[in-house]
Amino acid sequence: MIWLMLVTLVVVFIIGFRVLNSQSRRATSALTKRLNIDPVYVESLLSLMGSTAGEEFVAYLSRDNEAHLSNAASVLLIWQLCLVDESEENIAFWRGVLREAWLPTGLSSEHVRLALKFLRELEPDVQEMHAFRLRYNARFAPDSTEVENGSNNVVSIHSHSHHH
């Protein structure tokens, strides 16, 4: 009889936990499926954000909007690269994740402001995050001499005469 009561209690707690965290699980799932990554990345980000900012992030993701999903991926990228590991391998991995998901790989100042909002409990350095954005974007910007010398692969459709 006692075992039956304990099992019932455990089942009630499990069901209650799933119901309380269902929005969080759906939001995490949406981002992880889009990025094709393990949920542990998003779940660890949420846990480090703190409860208030984590709830705001989940609500932001729950809007089921492509722009919000893209911005959330940029927050994840900033957290992973600026605050966790800025190594060459990690940069290549996360940039590849965004490219494979057909999401923008550049970071704007708005992305940094959004990351600062959601990561506020970690108290990140504002100047350091903006400096990271500039370093990251400069690393992948096309070389200005290539563009000036015409060695890029873009050809104007008007540069050739039409011979039929």
Side-chain angles (χ1 to χ4, degrees), residues 40-76:
V40 70
Y41 293 113
V42 179
E43 290 168 358
S44 61
L45 172 63
L46 284 172
S47 68
L48 289 173
M49 283 180 174
S51 63
T52 304
E55 289 172 11
E56 291 171 3
F57 189 73
V58 167
Y60 186 82
L61 269 174
S62 297
R63 294 182 184 155
D64 208 22
N65 177 318
E66 182 65 20
H68 286 96
L69 194 62
S70 176
N71 291 337
S74 294
V75 170
L76 180 63

Coordinates of all heavy atoms in Angstrom, one line a residue, residues 40-76:
V40 N 21.2 20.2 -24.9 CA 22.0 20.6 -23.8 C 22.6 22.0 -24.0 O 22.7 22.7 -23.0 CB 23.2 19.6 -23.5 CG1 24.2 19.6 -24.6 CG2 23.8 19.8 -22.2
Y41 N 22.9 22.4 -25.2 CA 23.4 23.8 -25.4 C 22.4 24.9 -25.0 O 22.7 25.8 -24.3 CB 23.8 24.0 -26.9 CG 24.9 23.2 -27.3 CD1 24.8 22.2 -28.3 CD2 26.2 23.4 -26.8 CE1 25.8 21.4 -28.7 CE2 27.3 22.7 -27.3 CZ 27.1 21.7 -28.2 OH 28.1 20.9 -28.7
V42 N 21.2 24.7 -25.4 CA 20.1 25.7 -25.1 C 19.7 25.5 -23.6 O 19.5 26.6 -23.0 CB 18.9 25.5 -26.0 CG1 17.8 26.5 -25.7 CG2 19.3 25.6 -27.5
E43 N 19.6 24.3 -23.1 CA 19.2 24.1 -21.7 C 20.3 24.7 -20.8 O 19.9 25.3 -19.8 CB 19.0 22.6 -21.4 CG 17.8 22.1 -22.1 CD 17.7 20.6 -22.1 OE1 18.6 19.9 -21.6 OE2 16.7 20.0 -22.6
S44 N 21.5 24.6 -21.1 CA 22.6 25.2 -20.2 C 22.5 26.7 -20.3 O 22.7 27.4 -19.3 CB 24.0 24.6 -20.6 OG 24.3 24.9 -21.9
L45 N 22.3 27.2 -21.5 CA 22.1 28.7 -21.7 C 21.0 29.2 -20.8 O 21.1 30.1 -20.0 CB 21.9 29.0 -23.1 CG 21.5 30.5 -23.4 CD1 22.7 31.4 -23.0 CD2 21.1 30.7 -24.9
L46 N 19.8 28.5 -20.8 CA 18.7 28.9 -20.0 C 19.0 28.8 -18.5 O 18.6 29.7 -17.8 CB 17.5 28.0 -20.4 CG 16.7 28.2 -21.7 CD1 15.7 27.2 -21.9 CD2 16.1 29.6 -21.6
S47 N 19.7 27.8 -18.1 CA 19.9 27.6 -16.7 C 20.9 28.7 -16.2 O 20.8 29.2 -15.1 CB 20.5 26.3 -16.4 OG 21.8 26.1 -16.9
L48 N 21.8 29.2 -17.1 CA 22.8 30.2 -16.7 C 22.2 31.6 -16.7 O 22.7 32.5 -16.1 CB 24.0 30.2 -17.6 CG 24.9 29.0 -17.3 CD1 26.0 28.9 -18.3 CD2 25.5 29.0 -15.9
M49 N 21.1 31.8 -17.5 CA 20.4 33.0 -17.6 C 19.7 33.4 -16.3 O 19.5 34.6 -16.0 CB 19.3 33.0 -18.7 CG 19.9 33.1 -20.1 SD 18.5 33.1 -21.2 CE 19.3 33.4 -22.7
G50 N 19.4 32.5 -15.5 CA 18.6 32.7 -14.3 C 17.1 32.6 -14.6 O 16.7 32.5 -15.8
S51 N 16.3 32.5 -13.6 CA 14.9 32.2 -13.8 C 14.2 33.3 -14.6 O 13.4 33.0 -15.5 CB 14.2 31.9 -12.5 OG 14.2 33.1 -11.7
T52 N 14.4 34.6 -14.2 CA 13.6 35.7 -14.9 C 14.0 35.8 -16.3 O 13.2 35.8 -17.2 CB 13.8 37.0 -14.1 OG1 13.4 36.8 -12.7 CG2 13.0 38.1 -14.7
A53 N 15.3 36.0 -16.6 CA 15.8 36.1 -17.9 C 15.5 34.9 -18.8 O 15.2 34.9 -19.9 CB 17.3 36.5 -18.0
G54 N 15.6 33.7 -18.1 CA 15.3 32.4 -18.8 C 13.9 32.4 -19.3 O 13.6 31.9 -20.4
E55 N 13.0 32.8 -18.4 CA 11.5 32.8 -18.8 C 11.3 33.8 -19.9 O 10.5 33.6 -20.8 CB 10.7 33.2 -17.5 CG 10.6 32.1 -16.5 CD 9.9 32.6 -15.2 OE1 9.3 33.7 -15.2 OE2 10.0 31.8 -14.2
E56 N 12.0 35.0 -19.8 CA 11.9 36.0 -20.9 C 12.4 35.4 -22.2 O 11.8 35.6 -23.3 CB 12.6 37.2 -20.6 CG 12.0 38.0 -19.4 CD 13.0 39.1 -19.0 OE1 14.0 39.4 -19.6 OE2 12.6 39.8 -18.0
F57 N 13.5 34.6 -22.2 CA 14.0 34.0 -23.4 C 13.1 33.0 -24.0 O 12.8 32.9 -25.2 CB 15.4 33.4 -23.1 CG 16.2 32.9 -24.3 CD1 16.8 33.9 -25.1 CD2 16.3 31.6 -24.5 CE1 17.5 33.4 -26.2 CE2 17.0 31.2 -25.6 CZ 17.6 32.1 -26.5
V58 N 12.5 32.2 -23.1 CA 11.5 31.2 -23.5 C 10.3 31.8 -24.1 O 9.8 31.4 -25.2 CB 11.1 30.2 -22.3 CG1 9.9 29.4 -22.7 CG2 12.3 29.3 -22.0
A59 N 9.8 32.9 -23.5 CA 8.7 33.7 -24.1 C 9.0 34.2 -25.4 O 8.2 34.2 -26.4 CB 8.2 34.8 -23.1
Y60 N 10.3 34.7 -25.6 CA 10.7 35.3 -26.8 C 10.8 34.2 -27.9 O 10.3 34.4 -29.0 CB 12.1 35.9 -26.6 CG 12.7 36.6 -27.8 CD1 12.3 38.0 -28.0 CD2 13.6 36.0 -28.7 CE1 12.9 38.7 -29.1 CE2 14.1 36.7 -29.7 CZ 13.8 38.0 -29.9 OH 14.3 38.7 -31.0
L61 N 11.3 33.1 -27.6 CA 11.3 31.9 -28.5 C 9.9 31.4 -28.8 O 9.7 30.9 -29.9 CB 12.1 30.8 -27.9 CG 13.6 30.8 -28.3 CD1 14.3 29.6 -27.5 CD2 13.8 30.6 -29.7
S62 N 9.0 31.5 -27.9 CA 7.7 30.9 -28.1 C 6.8 31.7 -29.0 O 5.7 31.3 -29.4 CB 7.0 30.8 -26.7 OG 7.7 29.9 -25.9
R63 N 7.3 32.9 -29.5 CA 6.5 33.6 -30.4 C 6.4 33.0 -31.8 O 5.7 33.4 -32.6 CB 7.1 35.0 -30.5 CG 7.0 35.8 -29.2 CD 7.5 37.2 -29.4 NE 7.4 37.9 -28.1 CZ 8.2 38.9 -27.7 NH1 9.1 39.3 -28.6 NH2 8.1 39.4 -26.6
D64 N 7.2 31.9 -32.0 CA 7.1 31.1 -33.2 C 7.3 32.0 -34.4 O 6.5 31.9 -35.4 CB 5.8 30.3 -33.2 CG 6.0 29.0 -34.0 OD1 7.1 28.6 -34.2 OD2 5.0 28.5 -34.5
N65 N 8.3 32.8 -34.4 CA 8.6 33.7 -35.5 C 10.0 33.5 -36.0 O 10.9 33.3 -35.2 CB 8.4 35.1 -34.9 CG 8.7 36.3 -35.8 OD1 9.6 36.2 -36.6 ND2 7.9 37.3 -35.8
E66 N 10.2 33.5 -37.3 CA 11.5 33.3 -37.8 C 12.6 34.3 -37.4 O 13.7 33.9 -37.1 CB 11.5 33.3 -39.4 CG 12.8 33.0 -40.1 CD 13.3 31.6 -39.8 OE1 12.5 30.7 -39.5 OE2 14.5 31.3 -40.0
A67 N 12.2 35.5 -37.3 CA 13.1 36.6 -36.8 C 13.5 36.3 -35.3 O 14.7 36.5 -35.0 CB 12.5 38.0 -36.9
H68 N 12.6 35.9 -34.5 CA 12.9 35.7 -33.1 C 13.8 34.4 -33.0 O 14.7 34.4 -32.2 CB 11.6 35.5 -32.3 CG 10.9 36.7 -32.0 ND1 9.9 37.2 -32.8 CD2 11.1 37.7 -31.1 CE1 9.4 38.3 -32.3 NE2 10.1 38.7 -31.3
L69 N 13.5 33.4 -33.8 CA 14.4 32.2 -33.8 C 15.8 32.6 -34.2 O 16.8 32.1 -33.6 CB 13.7 31.2 -34.7 CG 14.3 29.8 -34.6 CD1 14.0 29.2 -33.2 CD2 13.6 28.9 -35.6
S70 N 15.9 33.4 -35.2 CA 17.2 33.8 -35.7 C 18.0 34.6 -34.7 O 19.2 34.4 -34.4 CB 17.0 34.6 -37.0 OG 18.3 35.1 -37.5
N71 N 17.2 35.5 -34.0 CA 17.9 36.3 -33.0 C 18.3 35.5 -31.8 O 19.3 35.7 -31.2 CB 16.9 37.5 -32.5 CG 16.8 38.5 -33.6 OD1 17.6 38.7 -34.5 ND2 15.6 39.2 -33.5
A72 N 17.5 34.5 -31.4 CA 17.8 33.6 -30.3 C 19.0 32.8 -30.7 O 19.9 32.6 -29.8 CB 16.6 32.7 -30.0
A73 N 19.1 32.4 -31.9 CA 20.3 31.7 -32.3 C 21.6 32.6 -32.2 O 22.7 32.1 -31.8 CB 20.2 31.2 -33.8
S74 N 21.4 33.9 -32.5 CA 22.5 34.8 -32.4 C 22.9 35.0 -30.9 O 24.1 35.1 -30.6 CB 22.2 36.2 -33.0 OG 22.0 36.0 -34.4
V75 N 21.9 35.0 -30.0 CA 22.2 35.1 -28.6 C 23.0 33.8 -28.2 O 24.0 33.9 -27.4 CB 20.9 35.2 -27.7 CG1 21.2 35.0 -26.2 CG2 20.3 36.6 -28.0
L76 N 22.6 32.7 -28.6 CA 23.3 31.4 -28.3 C 24.7 31.5 -28.9 O 25.7 31.1 -28.2 CB 22.5 30.2 -28.9 CG 23.1 28.8 -28.7 CD1 23.2 28.5 -27.2 CD2 22.3 27.8 -29.5

